[in-house]
Amino acid sequence: ASDNLNDDGIVNPGENIRYVFSLKNNSAINFSNLTVRANPNYDGHWLTIPTFNAGATQSFSYSAVDPSTYLSFTVPKYYTDSTINVFLRITDESNNLWLDTLTFDVKPFSHQLYFSPVARLSGISTMTLSISIVDSSQVKNHLYVVTGVDSLPLTGKPGYTLKDSTTNTILLANHPLPDQLGHISPIVDGFKVLLANYDTLKGMANWSMSGVRHWTWANGNFGMEGFGGAIGNGYDNYFSGSTVGYDKLRDVEVRFATTDTAGNILNSNDANASFAYRYLRKANSPPAQPSFSSFIIKTGVGYVFQDYNKSMPIAVYDINTNPPRRLMIGYLENNVINGLVDGKYWPPYYADPVYGDNLGTSGPREWFFIFDKNYSTTPDATLETDILDNTLPIMWFGTVTRRDQNGWSSADTFRIIAHHPITSNDKWTFTPSVMVLTGVKQQPIPSSFSLSQNYPNPFNPSTTIRYELPAISKVTIRIYNVLGQEVRTLVNQVQTAGQQVAIWDSRNSAGVTVSTGVYFYRIEASPISGKGNSFSDVKKMLLLK
């Protein structure tokens, strides 16, 4: 049904083979719940047939996205025999047993396979790609761009689009995501797009810290996906949900302010002290303790907004942006006898015999909220509402408790790491190395950026500018006059590594040449991988009529 590497219908060493077959019941007996297993079977699955009536034939029709329609095996990479056997074992619920053998011819590849490097242009998805070059005779030395698709029209699942950027041609539009083996990916221009790695999970992926860890999940396990159940995304963990879907979750860094052992911020100018939205549970009830009365500003049901105050000893930054983006935050208090309604965020010490439980309706419920809103000392009116019964942009939600009874320090941080599904913000680029594949001698990739003097110089009306790129780079080349005014943009695009050429024709669209005189051409180039330094250079040239 499918051979994953070059789709030629031939079993080659190293390939994963998916195959289908038909079974016929030649007896006069009806059978139930047949199971078909195979050896070798590297995918670890089997096929089932619920009913198999007398005289019936069961044929499996292959679907690349449905494992229940095929069996598979992988040929060892260095396999040298001309055939390979697959042994089928078929049983039913009455312990009947049938055995059969399928024999496949194995032939060596007609040419060597290669992989081409892929560079990320943008986005934060954890998906990584690889490019398998399976037919070097079809490879073009073009620049290709893979762009994520948020949701495919028929399935609602993410996908991708493949574009030949050199010719501005869409080669694959709204295609399902590739698989790691290559069965789903068609061959385009001699190569396949493969999935090197993709995280299909959602929500919080992990956490990390620097310095002292102040939070724990003990007596704070709310059953969420992260940090022992005490931190999770707001979309499917918080009571009223959130407008921040899985694809909008960001990696964030919590930076602690310096406090005393009671949670008071020691320096009002501490960079990590934040204004925050304070919400209150049971705001329509009388103060559970006399000291609560001054902190119950607004009454009502739900979790009512109280005030926007600078008493939250943390600052939160979206670290997927450069520079990091500071986010709005908020917290909850609970107007009950064991609450901590004091106008500040200070989760209970987990081992405190009175306040340790941060979950129950009779406990403190000192919970934090991280919003997908840019931080400001001026409150956002959309967040000044009941947070329980309104769907707000809650990115992360936490029910943590404190690990100890010490104060906090500005030297400490805590990171919440998200799963990142593919979105339309994710882009990758690559250029198949056709010269290497076809055996044609090529110029080596330059070790550094360079800009050559134009030729001819002086010139009229056109001249050639040569330059070298050591890596795939975003390149601009602009022409300026002696007053520093831009005359023309020659290049403004991502280009492949190697020797490049730009030609300046000094005539405009009407065929009129710019004035005689001195001009300057400036290159700016930055590796799109983010590795290596950017490059810029300026050279002078002379136009003579």
Side-chain angles (χ1 to χ4, degrees), residues 423-447:
T423 72
S424 55
N425 294 322
D426 293 297
K427 292 185 178 182
W428 298 263
T429 188
F430 61 93
T431 299
S433 185
V434 63
M435 295 299 186
V436 172
L437 298 179
T438 57
V440 178
K441 185 176 181 180
Q442 65 170 347
Q443 295 294 325
I445 299 297
S447 60

mmCIF file of all heavy atoms in Angstrom, residues 423-447:
data_model
loop_
_atom_site.group_PDB
_atom_site.id
_atom_site.type_symbol
_atom_site.label_atom_id
_atom_site.label_comp_id
_atom_site.label_asym_id
_atom_site.label_seq_id
_atom_site.Cartn_x
_atom_site.Cartn_y
_atom_site.Cartn_z
ATOM 1 N N THR A 423 0.771 26.661 14.345
ATOM 2 C CA THR A 423 -0.187 27.692 13.944
ATOM 3 C C THR A 423 0.313 28.358 12.670
ATOM 4 O O THR A 423 1.407 28.072 12.179
ATOM 5 C CB THR A 423 -0.359 28.768 15.029
ATOM 6 O OG1 THR A 423 0.832 29.585 15.083
ATOM 7 C CG2 THR A 423 -0.600 28.148 16.398
ATOM 8 N N SER A 424 -0.483 29.289 12.162
ATOM 9 C CA SER A 424 -0.101 30.018 10.950
ATOM 10 C C SER A 424 1.069 30.957 11.185
ATOM 11 O O SER A 424 1.622 31.521 10.228
ATOM 12 C CB SER A 424 -1.304 30.802 10.413
ATOM 13 O OG SER A 424 -1.835 31.658 11.410
ATOM 14 N N ASN A 425 1.465 31.150 12.442
ATOM 15 C CA ASN A 425 2.650 31.969 12.730
ATOM 16 C C ASN A 425 3.952 31.189 12.521
ATOM 17 O O ASN A 425 5.031 31.781 12.503
ATOM 18 C CB ASN A 425 2.605 32.475 14.169
ATOM 19 C CG ASN A 425 1.467 33.437 14.407
ATOM 20 O OD1 ASN A 425 1.152 34.247 13.546
ATOM 21 N ND2 ASN A 425 0.839 33.354 15.569
ATOM 22 N N ASP A 426 3.841 29.863 12.384
ATOM 23 C CA ASP A 426 5.034 29.028 12.253
ATOM 24 C C ASP A 426 5.439 28.912 10.786
ATOM 25 O O ASP A 426 4.624 28.540 9.930
ATOM 26 C CB ASP A 426 4.774 27.638 12.820
ATOM 27 C CG ASP A 426 4.578 27.667 14.329
ATOM 28 O OD1 ASP A 426 5.532 28.035 15.032
ATOM 29 O OD2 ASP A 426 3.468 27.342 14.792
ATOM 30 N N LYS A 427 6.697 29.225 10.531
ATOM 31 C CA LYS A 427 7.230 29.117 9.173
ATOM 32 C C LYS A 427 8.635 28.527 9.216
ATOM 33 O O LYS A 427 9.423 28.838 10.116
ATOM 34 C CB LYS A 427 7.264 30.483 8.481
ATOM 35 C CG LYS A 427 5.891 31.063 8.186
ATOM 36 C CD LYS A 427 5.993 32.357 7.385
ATOM 37 C CE LYS A 427 4.610 32.891 7.061
ATOM 38 N NZ LYS A 427 4.679 34.128 6.249
ATOM 39 N N TRP A 428 8.925 27.690 8.227
ATOM 40 C CA TRP A 428 10.248 27.101 8.070
ATOM 41 C C TRP A 428 10.693 27.295 6.623
ATOM 42 O O TRP A 428 9.865 27.457 5.713
ATOM 43 C CB TRP A 428 10.232 25.603 8.372
ATOM 44 C CG TRP A 428 9.836 25.235 9.758
ATOM 45 C CD1 TRP A 428 10.654 24.954 10.812
ATOM 46 C CD2 TRP A 428 8.501 25.073 10.269
ATOM 47 N NE1 TRP A 428 9.924 24.641 11.928
ATOM 48 C CE2 TRP A 428 8.596 24.703 11.627
ATOM 49 C CE3 TRP A 428 7.230 25.210 9.706
ATOM 50 C CZ2 TRP A 428 7.490 24.471 12.419
ATOM 51 C CZ3 TRP A 428 6.113 24.984 10.493
ATOM 52 C CH2 TRP A 428 6.248 24.615 11.838
ATOM 53 N N THR A 429 11.994 27.257 6.408
ATOM 54 C CA THR A 429 12.503 27.405 5.055
ATOM 55 C C THR A 429 13.680 26.467 4.839
ATOM 56 O O THR A 429 14.378 26.084 5.784
ATOM 57 C CB THR A 429 12.925 28.859 4.773
ATOM 58 O OG1 THR A 429 13.253 29.007 3.390
ATOM 59 C CG2 THR A 429 14.131 29.268 5.612
ATOM 60 N N PHE A 430 13.905 26.097 3.592
ATOM 61 C CA PHE A 430 15.013 25.202 3.248
ATOM 62 C C PHE A 430 15.299 25.322 1.766
ATOM 63 O O PHE A 430 14.473 25.801 0.974
ATOM 64 C CB PHE A 430 14.679 23.745 3.599
ATOM 65 C CG PHE A 430 13.487 23.188 2.867
ATOM 66 C CD1 PHE A 430 13.647 22.498 1.674
ATOM 67 C CD2 PHE A 430 12.213 23.371 3.368
ATOM 68 C CE1 PHE A 430 12.542 22.001 0.997
ATOM 69 C CE2 PHE A 430 11.107 22.881 2.691
ATOM 70 C CZ PHE A 430 11.273 22.195 1.504
ATOM 71 N N THR A 431 16.483 24.894 1.392
ATOM 72 C CA THR A 431 16.895 24.816 -0.003
ATOM 73 C C THR A 431 17.575 23.479 -0.222
ATOM 74 O O THR A 431 18.653 23.242 0.331
ATOM 75 C CB THR A 431 17.869 25.951 -0.379
ATOM 76 O OG1 THR A 431 17.215 27.202 -0.186
ATOM 77 C CG2 THR A 431 18.304 25.830 -1.827
ATOM 78 N N PRO A 432 16.968 22.566 -1.004
ATOM 79 C CA PRO A 432 17.642 21.295 -1.295
ATOM 80 C C PRO A 432 18.978 21.540 -1.975
ATOM 81 O O PRO A 432 19.100 22.401 -2.848
ATOM 82 C CB PRO A 432 16.660 20.576 -2.230
ATOM 83 C CG PRO A 432 15.348 21.230 -1.978
ATOM 84 C CD PRO A 432 15.654 22.659 -1.646
ATOM 85 N N SER A 433 19.997 20.796 -1.565
ATOM 86 C CA SER A 433 21.357 20.997 -2.088
ATOM 87 C C SER A 433 21.539 20.169 -3.355
ATOM 88 O O SER A 433 22.118 19.093 -3.355
ATOM 89 C CB SER A 433 22.386 20.604 -1.032
ATOM 90 O OG SER A 433 23.689 20.891 -1.469
ATOM 91 N N VAL A 434 21.032 20.683 -4.462
ATOM 92 C CA VAL A 434 21.011 19.912 -5.702
ATOM 93 C C VAL A 434 22.409 19.604 -6.214
ATOM 94 O O VAL A 434 22.661 18.548 -6.790
ATOM 95 C CB VAL A 434 20.190 20.656 -6.774
ATOM 96 C CG1 VAL A 434 20.822 21.990 -7.138
ATOM 97 C CG2 VAL A 434 20.021 19.801 -8.016
ATOM 98 N N MET A 435 23.370 20.498 -6.009
ATOM 99 C CA MET A 435 24.716 20.274 -6.546
ATOM 100 C C MET A 435 25.363 19.048 -5.908
ATOM 101 O O MET A 435 25.984 18.243 -6.582
ATOM 102 C CB MET A 435 25.594 21.509 -6.304
ATOM 103 C CG MET A 435 25.124 22.751 -7.054
ATOM 104 S SD MET A 435 25.145 22.507 -8.831
ATOM 105 C CE MET A 435 24.736 24.154 -9.381
ATOM 106 N N VAL A 436 25.186 18.906 -4.600
ATOM 107 C CA VAL A 436 25.763 17.755 -3.918
ATOM 108 C C VAL A 436 25.103 16.470 -4.396
ATOM 109 O O VAL A 436 25.747 15.460 -4.640
ATOM 110 C CB VAL A 436 25.597 17.913 -2.393
ATOM 111 C CG1 VAL A 436 26.006 16.645 -1.676
ATOM 112 C CG2 VAL A 436 26.426 19.084 -1.897
ATOM 113 N N LEU A 437 23.819 16.517 -4.597
ATOM 114 C CA LEU A 437 23.075 15.305 -4.917
ATOM 115 C C LEU A 437 23.389 14.781 -6.306
ATOM 116 O O LEU A 437 23.413 13.581 -6.538
ATOM 117 C CB LEU A 437 21.578 15.575 -4.799
ATOM 118 C CG LEU A 437 21.118 15.966 -3.394
ATOM 119 C CD1 LEU A 437 19.626 16.226 -3.399
ATOM 120 C CD2 LEU A 437 21.449 14.880 -2.405
ATOM 121 N N THR A 438 23.575 15.659 -7.264
ATOM 122 C CA THR A 438 23.786 15.228 -8.639
ATOM 123 C C THR A 438 25.249 14.979 -8.940
ATOM 124 O O THR A 438 25.593 14.568 -10.031
ATOM 125 C CB THR A 438 23.251 16.286 -9.601
ATOM 126 O OG1 THR A 438 23.901 17.536 -9.329
ATOM 127 C CG2 THR A 438 21.750 16.473 -9.434
ATOM 128 N N GLY A 439 26.122 15.248 -7.963
ATOM 129 C CA GLY A 439 27.535 14.988 -8.180
ATOM 130 C C GLY A 439 28.241 16.076 -8.951
ATOM 131 O O GLY A 439 29.414 15.949 -9.296
ATOM 132 N N VAL A 440 27.542 17.183 -9.253
ATOM 133 C CA VAL A 440 28.163 18.286 -9.971
ATOM 134 C C VAL A 440 29.019 19.078 -9.006
ATOM 135 O O VAL A 440 28.594 19.402 -7.901
ATOM 136 C CB VAL A 440 27.090 19.194 -10.593
ATOM 137 C CG1 VAL A 440 27.738 20.370 -11.304
ATOM 138 C CG2 VAL A 440 26.232 18.394 -11.556
ATOM 139 N N LYS A 441 30.228 19.407 -9.416
ATOM 140 C CA LYS A 441 31.122 20.147 -8.541
ATOM 141 C C LYS A 441 30.550 21.532 -8.292
ATOM 142 O O LYS A 441 30.152 22.231 -9.222
ATOM 143 C CB LYS A 441 32.516 20.259 -9.168
ATOM 144 C CG LYS A 441 33.534 20.910 -8.237
ATOM 145 C CD LYS A 441 34.910 20.899 -8.872
ATOM 146 C CE LYS A 441 35.936 21.533 -7.938
ATOM 147 N NZ LYS A 441 37.282 21.532 -8.537
ATOM 148 N N GLN A 442 30.480 21.941 -7.043
ATOM 149 C CA GLN A 442 29.905 23.233 -6.704
ATOM 150 C C GLN A 442 30.919 24.067 -5.941
ATOM 151 O O GLN A 442 31.891 23.569 -5.391
ATOM 152 C CB GLN A 442 28.656 23.056 -5.848
ATOM 153 C CG GLN A 442 28.955 22.455 -4.490
ATOM 154 C CD GLN A 442 27.750 22.527 -3.576
ATOM 155 O OE1 GLN A 442 26.788 23.215 -3.849
ATOM 156 N NE2 GLN A 442 27.804 21.813 -2.468
ATOM 157 N N GLN A 443 30.659 25.373 -5.933
ATOM 158 C CA GLN A 443 31.466 26.272 -5.136
ATOM 159 C C GLN A 443 31.156 26.013 -3.667
ATOM 160 O O GLN A 443 30.007 25.765 -3.306
ATOM 161 C CB GLN A 443 31.139 27.723 -5.495
ATOM 162 C CG GLN A 443 31.503 28.102 -6.923
ATOM 163 C CD GLN A 443 32.990 28.070 -7.145
ATOM 164 O OE1 GLN A 443 33.777 28.392 -6.250
ATOM 165 N NE2 GLN A 443 33.391 27.666 -8.346
ATOM 166 N N PRO A 444 32.170 26.030 -2.811
ATOM 167 C CA PRO A 444 31.897 25.795 -1.387
ATOM 168 C C PRO A 444 31.049 26.917 -0.799
ATOM 169 O O PRO A 444 31.076 28.057 -1.284
ATOM 170 C CB PRO A 444 33.308 25.776 -0.771
ATOM 171 C CG PRO A 444 34.153 26.561 -1.723
ATOM 172 C CD PRO A 444 33.595 26.286 -3.091
ATOM 173 N N ILE A 445 30.276 26.591 0.246
ATOM 174 C CA ILE A 445 29.493 27.607 0.942
ATOM 175 C C ILE A 445 30.458 28.581 1.613
ATOM 176 O O ILE A 445 31.397 28.167 2.297
ATOM 177 C CB ILE A 445 28.578 26.961 1.997
ATOM 178 C CG1 ILE A 445 27.593 26.008 1.316
ATOM 179 C CG2 ILE A 445 27.831 28.024 2.782
ATOM 180 C CD1 ILE A 445 26.649 26.679 0.363
ATOM 181 N N PRO A 446 30.260 29.887 1.429
ATOM 182 C CA PRO A 446 31.176 30.860 2.043
ATOM 183 C C PRO A 446 31.187 30.714 3.560
ATOM 184 O O PRO A 446 30.187 30.340 4.174
ATOM 185 C CB PRO A 446 30.583 32.211 1.615
ATOM 186 C CG PRO A 446 29.735 31.915 0.418
ATOM 187 C CD PRO A 446 29.216 30.535 0.620
ATOM 188 N N SER A 447 32.314 31.019 4.144
ATOM 189 C CA SER A 447 32.451 30.930 5.596
ATOM 190 C C SER A 447 31.995 32.202 6.295
ATOM 191 O O SER A 447 31.824 32.215 7.514
ATOM 192 C CB SER A 447 33.910 30.638 5.976
ATOM 193 O OG SER A 447 34.753 31.675 5.496
#
